């Protein structure tokens, strides 16, 4: 394999992201519209035990995110989902991981359609397709203007979303009948565990900020803080919201119902409207904005490593954005919209591919500890070996169970498409293996991966 050239597209990224910006991106990845839809589902499973389920799900998500925090602290890089496996395991493993992970971006179409459906509740005459297309186009243009602008927009969206949920909590807590919580496990421990498993979809996701290391001013410090703090903050918000959800109305009335049912009962018309917009429409907007921000970063590094043509990874020098790759993400997002394809199964498939990629990265954290201990020990964030092993085992098992559950729920056709996609990636990896750049992880004054 050839050695890396000193001139790379990633060198043109602007290091503009600060801790508050990154924290808001991470928080937006955790707190989303899922809390509205899935809290009622969890209540249907475990009744008044839903706050405990949220606590368990949040603890599990933090444990699963610790490997990302460790890698981000020791080796803060752009596009960690590709870069870490490529540097710590093997270049071809990094590419296959990226190839599979790329399918997660098709979920952009689902988010745009979901946002359009929320808006059409108020304006039912607007066609779904054109509205979803317009939403995705707006956030594509915002992202083209640079990571700093995108992050600032994300901070505003996060504030609106968080204030809407906090308004729900503040209005509802005085109305809670705590007698509802006398039996915290009415359906037994297994029902509680099932509810916890469902809620893992709402408490995870903060580790995606690890993709942005090349655009942060202090990634080794800010990524671990953002991942853990955002997940912990979301846990507090979720627990309080679930207490209101399960404690105001009889359990039978709110089981399997969205939070809007409780909100409509306890909030004024204006407050309910703000909650519906902030926790619904704005929440999904934030997810689109965040995914457009980090979705191209692993692809960018793969272009620099010559797995893909370096030209398509070109970074605009004025805005510091990989405009061709962003356009690719945009096209992936709008394709199901303009063709009218159903994205439900594609969205499930994208979740599977994202989780599978996370398993590889989690394993990388232990490889870092075993093979590059000097780098690990010099990192701002690290834990003892026993805790690291526990975090890796929990992360792999947790994500593995989720993958198996999701695969079993997919059609044969969708599973076949994923298998074909993986085979295509393997063929490309085989064809390009002698052209890809060779890297070696070494200790530097900043404890980052260095070419040798």
């Amino acid at each position: 394999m050839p050695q890396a050239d000193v001139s790379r597209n990633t060198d043109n990224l602007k290091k503009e992201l600060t801790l508050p910006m990154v924290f808001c991106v991470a928080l937006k990845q955790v707190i989303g519209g899922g809390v509205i839809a899935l809290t009622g589902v969890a209540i249907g499973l475990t009744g008044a035990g839903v706050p405990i389920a949220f606590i368990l799900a949040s603890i599990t998500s933090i444990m699963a995110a610790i490997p990302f925090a460790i890698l981000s602290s020791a080796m803060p890089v752009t596009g960690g989902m590709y870069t870490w496996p490529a540097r710590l395991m093997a270049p071809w493993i990094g590419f296959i991981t990226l190839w599979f992970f790329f399918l997660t971006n098709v979920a952009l179409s689902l988010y745009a359609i979901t946002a359009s459906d929320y808006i059409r509740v108020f304006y039912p005459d607007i066609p779904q397709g054109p509205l979803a297309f317009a939403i995705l186009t707006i956030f594509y243009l915002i992202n083209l203007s640079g990571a700093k602008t995108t992050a600032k927009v994300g901070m505003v969206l996060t504030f609106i979303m968080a204030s809407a949920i906090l308004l729900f909590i503040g209005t509802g807590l005085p109305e809670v009948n705590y007698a509802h919580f006398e039996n915290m496990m009415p359906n037994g421990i297994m029902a509680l565990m099932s509810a916890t498993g469902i809620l893992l979809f709402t408490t995870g996701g903060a580790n995606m900020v690890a993709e942005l290391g090349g655009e942060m001013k202090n990634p080794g410090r800010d990524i671990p803080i953002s991942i853990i703090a955002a997940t912990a903050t979301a846990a507090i918000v979720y627990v309080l919201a679930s207490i209101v959800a399960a404690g105001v109305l009889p359990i039978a009335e709110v089981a399997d119902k969205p939070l809007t049912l409780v909100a409509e009962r306890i909030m004024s018309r204006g407050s309910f409207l703000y909650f519906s917009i902030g926790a619904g429409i704005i929440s999904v907007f934030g997810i689109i904005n965040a995914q457009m921000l980090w979705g191209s970063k692993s692809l960018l590094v793969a272009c620099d490593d010559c797995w893909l043509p370096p030209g398509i990874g070109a970074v605009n020098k004025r805005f510091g954005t990989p405009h061709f790759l962003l356009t690719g993400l945009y096209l992936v997002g709008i394709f199901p919209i303009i063709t009218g394809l159903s994205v439900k199964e594609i969205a499930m498939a994208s979740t599977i591919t994202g989780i599978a990629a996370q398993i590889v990265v989690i394993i990388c954290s232990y490889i870092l500890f075993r093979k590059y201990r000097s780098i690990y020990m010099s990192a701002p964030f690290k834990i003892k070996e026993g805790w690291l092993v526990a975090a890796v085992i929990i992360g792999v098992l947790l994500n593995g169970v989720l993958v198996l559950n999701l695969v079993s729920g997919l059609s044969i056709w969708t599973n076949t498409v994923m298998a074909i996609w993986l085979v295509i990636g393997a063929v490309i990896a085989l064809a390009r293996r002698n052209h890809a750049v060779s890297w070696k992880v070494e200790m530097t004054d900043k404890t980052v991966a260095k070419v040798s």
Side-chain angles (χ1 to χ4, degrees):
M1 291 185 180
Q3 296 296 306
D5 191 275
V6 293
S7 178
R8 294 167 60 84
N9 290 313
T10 48
D11 296 336
N12 294 320
L13 294 174
K14 296 182 178 181
K15 294 184 178 295
E16 299 178 318
L17 301 183
T18 62
L19 178 58
M21 292 177 180
V22 179
F23 172 77
C24 284
V25 173
L27 189 63
K28 189 67 222 63
Q29 286 293 119
V30 185
I31 301 180
V35 66
I36 297 179
L38 294 181
T39 300
V41 175
I43 292 174
L45 287 169
T46 192
V50 65
I52 297 177
F54 266 118
I55 292 172
L56 293 176
S58 298
I59 292 173
T60 305
S61 292
I62 290 175
M63 290 292 289
I66 283 176
F68 282 82
I70 290 171
L71 285 165
S72 299
S73 181
M75 293 176 60
V77 295
T78 298
M81 296 297 285
Y82 161 76
T83 306
W84 292 322
R87 308 295 186 261
L88 296 171
M89 300 177 79
W92 67 269
I93 294 178
F95 177 76
I96 293 296
T97 302
L98 163 65
W99 186 258
F100 216 42
F101 179 66
F102 177 75
L103 284 182
T104 61
N105 292 300
V106 78
L108 286 167
S109 57
L110 176 64
Y111 300 143
I113 290 171
T114 300
S116 69
D117 287 342
Y118 278 133
I119 294 173
R120 291 175 71 245
V121 170
F122 303 100
Y123 302 99
D125 294 333
I126 302 178
Q128 182 197 66
L131 181 56
F133 176 84
I135 290 169
L136 206 55
T137 300
I138 289 171
F139 284 101
Y140 163 66
L141 295 175
I142 290 172
N143 273 263
L144 280 179
S145 64
K148 187 175 182 179
T149 300
T150 304
K152 286 183 176 179
V153 170
M155 291 177 73
V156 174
L157 296 176
T158 301
F159 173 79
I160 296 173
M161 175 205 67
S163 62
I165 296 177
L166 291 175
L167 179 62
F168 169 79
I169 294 171
T171 304
L173 282 178
E175 306 295 325
V176 171
N177 179 2
Y178 289 95
H180 289 186
F181 299 97
E182 291 179 355
N183 183 0
M184 298 291 284
M185 284 194 292
N187 301 324
I189 186 67
M190 294 307 298
L192 178 65
M193 291 298 101
S194 295
T196 299
I198 289 175
L199 295 178
L200 285 170
F201 287 99
T202 67
T203 58
N207 48 29
M208 287 299 99
V209 298
E211 293 289 285
L212 304 173
E215 294 169 285
M216 297 182 193
K217 292 183 177 181
N218 192 352
R221 180 201 66 180
D222 293 352
I223 296 177
I225 291 175
S226 298
I227 290 175
I228 296 174
T231 307
T233 300
I236 296 171
V237 171
Y238 282 153
V239 169
L240 293 175
S242 67
I243 290 173
V244 175
V248 173
L249 301 176
I251 294 292
E253 289 188 29
V254 296
D256 298 307
K257 299 295 191 301
L259 280 187
T260 49
L261 175 67
V262 178
E264 193 171 16
R265 298 283 189 92
I266 64 175
M267 304 177 86
S268 66
R269 180 64 181 172
S271 296
F272 175 69
L273 183 62
Y274 184 77
F275 172 75
S276 299
I277 294 174
I281 298 171
I282 299 300
S283 174
V284 180
F285 280 176
I287 295 174
I288 296 172
N289 189 61
Q291 183 149 346
M292 290 288 285
L293 177 61
W294 58 256
S296 63
K297 299 307 184 289
S298 283
L299 284 170
L300 177 61
V301 185
C303 290
D304 278 347
D305 285 359
C306 299
W307 288 107
L308 301 170
I312 67 173
V315 174
N316 184 283
K317 292 186 177 180
R318 178 181 176 185
F319 299 108
T321 55
H323 44 286
F324 294 136
L325 293 178
L326 277 174
T327 302
L329 292 186
Y330 171 67
L331 294 176
V332 167
I334 66 171
F335 181 76
I337 296 172
I338 63 178
T339 57
L341 295 176
S342 171
V343 297
K344 181 179 178 180
E345 286 231 336
I346 299 176
M348 289 180 65
S350 73
T351 302
I352 292 171
T353 58
I355 293 173
Q358 289 188 52
I359 292 175
V360 177
V361 172
I362 289 170
I363 295 172
C364 283
S365 67
Y366 190 69
I367 294 174
L368 174 71
F369 175 81
R370 297 296 298 178
K371 293 182 64 176
Y372 307 100
R373 191 160 302 196
S374 60
I375 295 178
Y376 178 86
M377 296 306 297
S378 298
F381 178 82
K382 52 186 173 292
I383 57 178
K384 293 183 178 179
E385 182 177 8
W387 286 105
L388 175 59
V389 171
V392 170
I393 292 174
I394 290 174
V396 171
L397 291 178
L398 165 66
N399 285 288
V401 170
L402 289 176
V403 167
L404 292 175
N405 286 338
L406 287 168
V407 168
S408 64
L410 286 177
S411 66
I412 296 177
W413 168 248
T414 305
N415 280 318
T416 302
V417 170
M418 284 199 300
I420 293 173
W421 178 260
L422 187 58
V423 170
I424 292 173
V427 171
I428 294 175
L430 185 64
R432 297 291 301 171
R433 69 187 188 282
N434 293 326
H435 301 281
V437 171
S438 176
W439 288 75
K440 182 179 179 182
V441 177
E442 291 184 341
M443 185 70 178
T444 73
D445 58 340
K446 295 183 178 180
T447 66
V448 296
K450 179 185 177 183
V451 175
S452 65

